[in-house]
């Protein structure tokens, strides 16, 4: 009788042990899941070293030209500088954001940010870092699309940012091919801006749509513009000599609060691109930057103007 009970007892012990292990493993898995889901910070490898930042930032202050990147990623912005606050394309996304500068320490404290993003040449960087984790970038250290990915990393949305970049490059290239088919491979485009009675022409990496036109689409820049603006990024000229730098097409951005009466002068109307109907004017407030949201607007603008 005892010999018969012993094997049964051993089987029962093994079954109970197995059940216990499953419960322990299940408990550990649940605890691990809770720990992962409740992680409050991530480590971002910034230019100056690792920084602990919120895993899911909810109140970001942006003291630079990156607000459009955060809006594109669906991140809530509570404070921005005046330049971005004046962008009509950001009006809805920034309707509850306050306008601040890097010197407005008390105002920024009142906004209770959980993350601050800016350029590394701003004042009070050390004081800002005492308010919230502060990530500062060097403008132009990486190319404009990689910059968006860096912003994505800083707010724990690298995958979303990378996916957008890949898709944007394809779309911009496709539009560029169609534009070149219509205007010709050798047609030139000048990007110019009027500001405070001065005109500027731009190279291929100074926002205002230059990255899209020259880098992604491969459109050509007039030689005279290339000589003076390609390396420094931009070049100031007097209004009356614009014709000397004008390509077959001109993208002219003018701030909405600036005088644009020069476009009604005889010398301006005598520029060949203007006479040919190849002048595309845009509100400079919408074109200043090269963040993801602005790039979307610029690409749409070019597609409509060149192809429709």
């Amino acid at each position: 009788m005892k010999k018969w009970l012993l094997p049964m007892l051993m089987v029962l012990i093994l079954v109970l042990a197995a059940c216990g292990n499953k419960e322990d493993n299940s408990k550990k898995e649940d605890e691990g899941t809770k720990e992962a889901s409740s992680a409050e910070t991530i480590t971002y490898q910034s230019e100056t070293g690792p920084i602990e930042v919120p895993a899911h930032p909810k109140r970001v202050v942006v003291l630079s030209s990156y607000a459009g990147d955060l809006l594109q990623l669906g991140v809530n912005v509570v404070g921005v500088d005046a330049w971005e606050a004046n962008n009509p394309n950001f009006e809805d996304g920034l309707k509850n954001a306050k306008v601040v500068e890097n010197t407005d320490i008390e105002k920024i404290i009142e906004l209770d940010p959980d993350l601050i993003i800016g350029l590394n040449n701003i004042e009070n960087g050390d004081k800002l870092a005492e308010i919230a984790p502060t990530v500062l970038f060097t403008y132009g250290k990486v190319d404009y699309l990689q910059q968006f990915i860096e912003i994505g990393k800083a707010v724990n949305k690298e995958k979303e940012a990378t996916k957008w970049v890949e898709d944007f490059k394809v779309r911009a290239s496709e539009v560029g091919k169609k534009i070149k088919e219509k205007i010709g491979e050798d047609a030139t485009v000048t990007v110019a801006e009027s500001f405070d009675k001065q005109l500027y022409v731009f190279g291929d990496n100074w926002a205002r749509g230059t990255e899209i036109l020259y880098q992604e689409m491969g459109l050509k820049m007039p030689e005279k513009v290339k000589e003076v603006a390609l390396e420094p990024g931009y070049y100031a000229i007097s209004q009356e000599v614009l014709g000397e730098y004008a390509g077959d097409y001109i993208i002219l951005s003018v701030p909405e609060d600036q005088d644009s009466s020069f476009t009604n002068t005889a010398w301006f109307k005598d520029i060949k691109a203007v006479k040919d109907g190849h002048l595309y004017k845009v509100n400079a407030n919408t074109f200043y930057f090269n963040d993801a949201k602005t790039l979307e607007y610029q690409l749409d603008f070019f597609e409509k103007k060149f192809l429709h």
Side-chain angles (χ1 to χ4, degrees):
M1 185 70 173
K2 292 180 180 179
K3 290 181 180 180
W4 177 78
L5 286 173
L6 185 58
M8 293 295 293
L9 184 60
M10 291 178 67
V11 170
L12 181 61
I13 291 172
L14 290 171
V15 170
L16 291 173
C19 291
N21 287 337
K22 287 182 179 179
E23 289 178 1
D24 289 343
N25 290 338
S26 177
K27 185 177 181 181
K28 288 179 181 178
E29 289 175 1
D30 289 342
E31 290 175 350
T33 300
K34 289 179 181 178
E35 184 178 350
S37 63
S38 63
E40 296 182 354
T41 63
I42 60 172
T43 300
Y44 172 67
Q45 297 296 331
S46 75
E47 294 178 15
T48 56
I51 299 178
E52 291 296 313
V53 297
H56 306 289
K58 294 179 172 58
R59 300 183 60 81
V60 183
V61 168
V62 189
L63 301 171
S64 56
S65 58
Y66 304 124
D69 290 324
L70 295 171
L71 294 179
Q72 186 69 28
L73 291 169
V75 177
N76 184 47
V77 176
V78 297
V80 293
D81 61 25
W83 284 91
E84 299 190 278
N86 290 330
N87 188 332
N89 293 332
F90 297 171
E91 187 174 349
D92 289 339
L94 299 179
K95 61 184 177 182
N96 296 319
K98 303 297 183 182
V99 177
V100 293
E101 297 180 5
N102 57 286
T103 53
D104 297 329
I105 300 300
E106 292 302 321
K107 288 184 180 180
I108 294 174
I109 291 175
E110 292 175 2
L111 292 176
D112 190 27
D114 53 9
L115 180 65
I116 299 172
I117 293 177
L119 293 172
N120 67 356
N121 61 351
I122 63 174
E123 299 177 16
N124 298 323
D126 53 343
K127 293 181 180 179
L128 294 172
E130 294 175 2
I131 301 172
T134 300
V135 178
L136 303 179
F137 296 100
T138 301
Y139 185 83
K141 186 177 179 67
V142 296
D143 72 58
Y144 74 113
L145 293 178
Q146 182 60 42
Q147 181 63 68
F148 180 52
I149 294 176
E150 289 302 315
I151 296 290
K153 290 178 183 178
V155 296
N156 202 21
K157 289 180 178 287
E158 180 181 3
K159 289 184 179 179
E160 293 92 326
T162 301
K163 182 179 180 181
W164 180 89
V165 166
E166 293 171 349
D167 177 65
F168 177 79
K169 287 181 71 68
V170 171
R171 288 186 288 122
S173 177
E174 290 176 348
V175 173
K177 289 177 182 177
K178 293 177 181 178
I179 290 176
K180 282 189 281 189
E181 287 175 0
K182 181 177 180 180
I183 70 175
E185 292 282 343
D186 296 325
T188 56
V189 181
T190 294
V191 177
E193 181 178 291
S194 172
F195 187 81
D196 197 21
K197 297 183 179 181
Q198 182 91 54
L199 280 180
Y200 297 85
V201 290
F202 298 91
D204 66 354
N205 65 346
W206 211 259
R208 283 103 176 149
T210 57
E211 292 90 351
I212 298 177
L213 293 171
Y214 301 129
Q215 294 186 39
E216 302 305 323
M217 294 182 176
L219 299 182
K220 292 187 176 182
M221 186 185 304
E223 284 300 320
K224 191 157 186 176
V225 175
K226 190 183 297 184
E227 291 172 6
V228 298
L230 186 60
E231 186 173 342
Y234 66 93
Y235 184 74
I237 61 174
S238 60
Q239 293 179 340
E240 294 80 5
V241 300
L242 175 60
E244 298 177 21
Y245 298 85
D248 298 305
Y249 292 79
I250 301 174
I251 309 298
L252 177 64
S253 58
V254 181
E256 56 186 1
D257 60 345
Q258 296 273 324
D259 177 23
S260 62
S261 59
F262 69 92
T263 60
N264 296 319
T265 61
W267 66 261
F268 184 85
K269 293 179 179 180
D270 197 45
I271 296 174
K272 188 175 186 307
V274 177
K275 290 193 294 185
D276 291 343
H278 295 167
L279 170 70
Y280 303 142
K281 292 177 63 177
V282 64
N283 178 359
N285 298 69
T286 67
F287 246 55
Y288 282 133
F289 305 119
N290 55 12
D291 59 82
K293 193 169 183 65
T294 298
L295 289 170
E296 288 283 8
Y297 177 78
Q298 291 168 347
L299 180 59
D300 182 65
F301 176 87
F302 294 142
E303 183 175 16
K304 289 177 179 177
K305 291 298 182 180
F306 280 102
L307 299 179
H308 300 294

